[in-house]
Amino acid sequence: MAGEIFENANQVFRHIFDKLHCQVSYNTVKKAIEDGKITKRRGRGFTLAAVEAYARTLDKKISAASPKDDLPLTGDNEAPLAKTKAEAKLKQVQAERAQFLLNKERGKFIPTTVMEAELGQRAKAFKLGLEKFAPDNAVKVAEIFGGAEDTARELCNRLGADPEAGIPMVIDFTHSRIEHFTRMWRKQVLQFLDSYATGTWWTEEMQQAWEKMLEAEENEDAA
């Protein structure tokens, strides 16, 4: 760098010997400093320009450092760098795509359409299973609440009613409510399944993934 500062004779020597490849000894450099052949800064140390000016007196092949070397690339000089960055970015994208396709072939990724179809079938089976519960089990539920002779007798005894006369009435009444229970159950199933509906997700990550998928589909349709 053009603005580099060397603080002592050793740093000056190392720069001349290591970086400029000038065959000179440390003592020669030290003596040059003592003799004022390497101009000191008003502050501490020696500037790069002063050190390289002295080095050129030892070796004419050493070129002067240009302040332009420290300036950022602009204009035409920037084009090669931009091209290199663009090519590196393209290679990175291509590598990521290749890795994605490889992972997909290995079964690490499942298309959202496949997942959605599977979830849809599961939801359908779940809904049918729940809806069947009421008609399949309504009689059993009624029997718990007096629809069977033993529970009807227990209810009559607790109410102080004549079991012989009350049991048939209790059983008939309880079984007459089976249809009401079935309708109520079907309505409750719809409300229960509403919270599991597609598009309503329980985690933020899944919600974001779902929205991203929908956005991608919209962009494909618009293209």
Side-chain angles (χ1 to χ4, degrees):
M1 286 181 20
E4 186 175 355
I5 302 299
F6 303 95
E7 297 183 356
N8 52 54
N10 183 61
Q11 291 181 0
V12 173
F13 167 69
R14 298 280 22 136
H15 180 75
I16 294 174
F17 188 84
D18 296 337
K19 295 187 178 181
L20 301 181
H21 307 293
C22 182
Q23 299 302 312
V24 63
S25 67
Y26 171 77
N27 290 332
T28 299
V29 172
K30 184 178 179 182
K31 190 171 187 310
I33 292 175
E34 293 172 349
D35 294 344
K37 293 181 181 179
I38 302 178
T39 307
K40 293 183 179 180
R41 294 175 66 245
R42 181 169 300 187
R44 252 175 81 173
F46 311 88
T47 64
L48 177 64
V51 171
E52 295 194 349
Y54 168 71
R56 285 195 299 277
T57 65
L58 303 175
D59 188 344
K60 301 299 183 183
K61 295 179 182 179
I62 298 174
S63 60
S66 173
K68 293 181 180 180
D69 293 340
D70 290 336
L71 295 177
L73 290 176
T74 56
D76 295 339
N77 291 331
E78 192 174 22
L81 179 60
K83 182 180 179 181
T84 301
K85 289 182 177 180
E87 291 175 347
K89 181 65 176 177
L90 177 60
K91 289 181 179 179
Q92 180 184 353
V93 171
Q94 290 173 338
E96 290 175 352
R97 176 171 176 78
Q99 184 63 48
F100 170 79
L101 293 175
L102 178 60
N103 289 337
K104 183 179 178 181
E105 290 177 1
R106 290 177 174 176
K108 292 186 177 182
F109 297 111
I110 299 176
T112 52
T113 52
V114 175
M115 181 194 72
E116 179 65 8
E118 172 67 17
L119 290 177
Q121 290 299 317
R122 291 190 182 193
K124 183 178 180 181
F126 190 36
K127 180 173 181 291
L128 291 175
L130 287 175
E131 287 179 341
K132 283 188 61 180
F133 175 83
D136 289 350
N137 296 277
V139 174
K140 294 179 182 179
V141 173
E143 290 176 349
I144 294 174
F145 297 98
E149 183 174 348
D150 56 343
T151 54
R153 184 182 300 279
E154 181 180 352
L155 180 59
C156 289
N157 290 334
R158 293 199 178 193
L159 295 175
D162 178 16
E164 298 305 320
I167 287 176
M169 296 177 60
V170 170
I171 292 176
D172 289 344
F173 175 78
T174 305
H175 280 261
S176 71
R177 311 309 292 174
I178 287 178
E179 184 61 29
H180 294 281
F181 170 74
T182 302
R183 287 199 300 268
M184 180 204 72
W185 177 258
R186 285 175 177 167
K187 179 187 270 187
Q188 290 298 114
V189 166
L190 292 177
Q191 294 177 357
F192 173 73
L193 291 178
D194 185 60
S195 60
Y196 293 92
T198 299
T200 303
W201 305 104
W202 292 8
T203 64
E204 183 178 351
E205 292 81 4
M206 186 61 199
Q207 184 67 35
Q208 291 175 352
W210 182 258
E211 292 174 356
K212 185 175 181 180
M213 185 202 73
L214 294 179
E215 181 180 354
E217 290 180 350
E218 290 177 359
N219 292 336
E220 290 178 0
D221 293 339

